[in-house]
């Protein structure tokens, strides 16, 4: 079909459309226009509402934090920035209601495994025990379900905005010259990770994955202890010796069940050496957590990032206190390597309807 014929067909269609429109009564035209405008307006409102509910990250500049809506944060952040001028802070607007967050993090009657556990120890207040399960033990028998009060205390960002705990919010990325072999030596000395080759491997693994190697070393020791466990020394599964030093998929209500689940995962991944397990574990952390926005110790424990369209379910560990203890380890490494004042970034979660009073222990 040539161009002239195509033009003629289009011209005839336009003429027919105009003829049909002219036959439509004026009142119907007015109603159609009104409906069209109303539809456009409704679509605009829906887009605006969705946009207002979308989580966002904003670099803190000292002036862009609403103190009435988010009480108690600004003074704490400003104090840290004054003490550490090279540090930067990112405000993470979760758009989540504080009480709803605690309700979802708390234990419910119909769930088998609590989301948050605390050690069965007199070190913690009696009201830190879960209101539902009381003294019922979980995991290997030395853990209790955490109460809402305990969860509030550990999740309230204002309890973390200080020199002792701030590394829970450190963005877990590789920063040139901030993480050194000396720092790795500091944390791995006397542990199952001790050794020059492993220190170099940890630095290189962090650089390759754009992950903080201090975090990698700290996570391994947090999971395995300084002496390691059967999962880092080698565990037999299906007539093969496998390794899982990051304790990936290590869950259950008995030691045997925990080891079996972790060993099965390692076997399926082909982790038949510690080196393979270290490399695979780092990739697991990167792909499964860092790349979906859970790029701090805090956010790996508390899934308040909606990047993967889900909340509260994708949490690395049950131990409520893990971010705090790992953060202390990381802080110690940075201090030992004299890089604590390197240009590090900290991501601060902000919740809606936060009470003025800071959550108490």
């Amino acid at each position: 079909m040539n161009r002239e014929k195509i033009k003629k067909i289009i011209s005839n269609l336009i003429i027919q459309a105009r003829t049909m429109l002219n036959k439509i009564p004026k009142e119907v035209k007015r109603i159609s226009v009104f409906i069209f405008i109303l539809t456009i307006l409704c679509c605009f409102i829906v887009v605006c509402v969705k946009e207002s509910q979308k989580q966002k990250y904003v670099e803190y500049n000292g002036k862009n934090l609403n103190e009435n809506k988010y009480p108690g944060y600004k003074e704490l952040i400003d104090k840290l920035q004054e003490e550490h001028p090279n540090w930067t802070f990112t405000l993470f607007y979760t758009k989540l209601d504080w009480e709803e967050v605690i309700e979802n993090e708390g234990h419910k009657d119909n769930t088998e495994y609590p989301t948050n556990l605390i050690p069965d120890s007199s070190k913690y207040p009696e009201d830190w025990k879960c209101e539902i399960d009381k003294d019922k033990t979980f995991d290997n028998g030395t853990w209790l379900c955490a109460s809402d009060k305990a969860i509030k205390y550990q999740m309230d960002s204002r309890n973390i905005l200080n020199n002792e705990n701030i590394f829970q919010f450190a963005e877990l990325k590789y920063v040139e010259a901030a993480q050194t072999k000396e720092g790795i030596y500091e944390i791995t000395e006397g542990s199952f990770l001790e050794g020059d080759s492993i220190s170099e491997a940890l630095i290189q693994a962090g650089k390759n994955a754009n992950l903080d190697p201090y975090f990698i070393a700290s996570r391994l020791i947090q999971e395995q202890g300084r002496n390691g466990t059967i999962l880092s020394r080698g565990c037999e599964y299906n007539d093969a010796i496998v390794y899982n030093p990051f304790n990936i998929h290590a869950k259950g209500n008995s030691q045997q069940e925990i080891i079996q689940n972790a060993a099965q995962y390692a076997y399926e991944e082909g982790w038949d050496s510690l080196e393979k397990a270290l490399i695979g574990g780092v990739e697991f952390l990167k792909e499964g957590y860092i790349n979906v926005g859970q790029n701090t110790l805090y956010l790996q424990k508390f899934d308040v990032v909606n990047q993967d369209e889900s909340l509260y379910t994708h949490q690395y560990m049950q131990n409520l206190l893990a971010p705090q203890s790992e953060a202390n380890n990381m802080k110690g490494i940075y201090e030992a390597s004299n890089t604590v004042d390197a240009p590090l970034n900290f991501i601060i979660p902000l919740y809606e309807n936060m009470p003025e009073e800071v959550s108490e222990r």
Side-chain angles (χ1 to χ4, degrees):
M1 189 178 292
N2 60 37
R3 289 185 180 180
E4 288 303 319
K5 285 186 177 180
I6 293 173
K7 284 182 180 179
K8 190 174 181 179
I9 291 171
I10 293 173
S11 178
N12 287 335
L13 287 171
I14 291 172
I15 291 169
Q16 289 175 24
R18 284 177 178 169
T19 303
M20 290 174 65
L21 285 171
N22 289 332
K23 290 180 180 178
I24 298 174
K26 288 184 178 180
E27 191 62 31
V28 174
K29 287 181 182 178
R30 289 194 190 100
I31 294 172
S32 298
V33 171
F34 175 76
I35 292 172
F36 176 75
I37 292 172
L38 188 62
T39 302
I40 294 296
L41 185 60
C42 288
C43 290
F44 178 74
I45 291 171
V46 168
V47 169
C48 288
V49 169
K50 283 187 176 180
E51 191 63 31
S52 69
Q53 294 173 343
K54 189 182 294 184
Q55 296 184 332
K56 63 179 180 178
Y57 298 82
V58 178
E59 184 178 348
Y60 178 66
N61 63 16
K63 301 177 181 178
N64 58 345
L65 180 56
N66 186 331
E67 295 179 74
N68 293 322
K69 195 171 182 181
Y70 305 102
Y73 290 86
K74 187 179 187 305
E75 183 181 352
L76 296 170
I77 297 174
D78 287 346
K79 186 173 186 295
L80 285 167
Q81 197 153 48
E82 183 180 349
E83 294 171 352
H84 307 278
N86 291 328
W87 287 4
T88 56
F89 297 87
T90 297
L91 304 175
F92 171 36
Y93 291 90
T94 66
K95 304 292 182 171
L96 302 174
D97 179 81
W98 172 245
E99 291 298 333
E100 286 185 15
V101 169
I102 300 304
E103 182 182 348
N104 280 281
E105 286 288 340
H107 192 42
K108 300 174 182 64
D109 282 315
N110 58 349
T111 53
E112 183 179 359
Y113 300 115
T115 303
N116 294 286
L117 299 176
I118 59 170
D120 184 3
S121 168
S122 58
K123 179 180 177 181
Y124 304 102
E126 186 68 21
D127 57 7
W128 270 37
K129 295 178 183 178
C130 174
E131 297 87 345
I132 295 172
D133 292 311
K134 305 294 184 185
D135 293 310
K136 180 181 177 181
T137 58
F138 294 89
D139 202 34
N140 60 2
T142 62
W143 295 87
L144 301 171
C145 174
S147 70
D148 286 357
K149 181 179 181 181
I151 296 168
K152 281 184 177 181
Y153 181 80
Q154 294 299 127
M155 286 195 74
D156 192 330
S157 303
R158 296 167 296 184
N159 284 325
I160 300 169
L161 287 169
N162 53 64
N163 276 303
E164 289 70 37
N165 298 303
I166 188 61
F167 276 86
Q168 292 183 54
F169 293 152
E171 186 176 2
L172 301 173
K173 64 180 181 180
Y174 180 81
V175 179
E176 193 70 45
Q179 298 112 10
T180 66
K181 280 177 63 176
E182 289 72 27
I184 296 292
Y185 290 152
E186 180 68 23
I187 191 174
T188 59
E189 185 178 6
S191 76
F192 74 100
L193 294 170
E194 185 175 24
D196 192 68
S197 62
I198 294 181
S199 294
E200 288 179 358
L202 289 170
I203 290 285
Q204 193 59 48
K207 192 171 185 177
N208 292 345
N210 193 27
L211 262 179
D212 186 340
Y214 290 176
F215 154 66
I216 298 171
S218 178
R219 172 59 55 83
L220 286 167
I221 291 175
Q222 171 79 21
E223 297 289 348
Q224 298 294 313
R226 301 199 68 80
N227 296 324
T229 69
I230 187 172
L231 290 172
S232 54
R233 293 192 297 266
C235 174
E236 186 174 347
Y237 187 88
N238 276 6
D239 297 323
I241 302 299
V242 295
Y243 300 79
N244 190 343
F246 286 96
N247 282 352
I248 298 169
H249 285 212
K251 60 183 179 181
N253 280 327
S254 69
Q255 190 70 17
Q256 183 179 0
E257 185 181 358
I258 292 166
I259 292 172
Q260 277 292 105
N261 287 336
Q264 179 181 344
Y265 184 84
Y267 179 81
E268 291 170 354
E269 293 296 313
W271 293 348
D272 55 8
S273 71
L274 182 57
E275 290 76 12
K276 286 182 182 179
L278 288 173
I279 294 168
V282 168
E283 280 303 310
F284 175 88
L285 286 172
K286 181 184 176 184
E287 295 298 325
Y289 289 86
I290 305 300
N291 289 356
V292 295
Q294 292 177 269
N295 53 352
T296 70
L297 295 172
Y298 180 99
L299 294 176
Q300 287 183 11
K301 174 66 195 88
F302 307 112
D303 180 13
V304 293
V305 182
N306 201 24
Q307 190 170 313
D308 59 354
E309 301 298 326
S310 69
L311 294 165
Y312 315 116
T313 58
H314 192 244
Q315 304 191 155
Y316 190 87
M317 69 289 277
Q318 290 174 281
N319 181 1
L320 179 66
L321 308 170
Q324 183 176 333
S325 59
E326 280 191 81
N328 288 337
N329 285 338
M330 285 182 62
K331 175 175 174 279
I333 308 172
Y334 275 102
E335 289 176 338
S337 58
N338 294 315
T339 57
V340 73
D341 285 312
L344 306 174
N345 185 51
F346 299 86
I347 300 172
I348 317 301
L350 300 175
Y351 301 99
E352 304 305 305
N353 303 312
M354 202 72 181
E356 287 194 24
E357 302 79 19
V358 180
S359 303
E360 295 182 349
R361 190 174 190 275

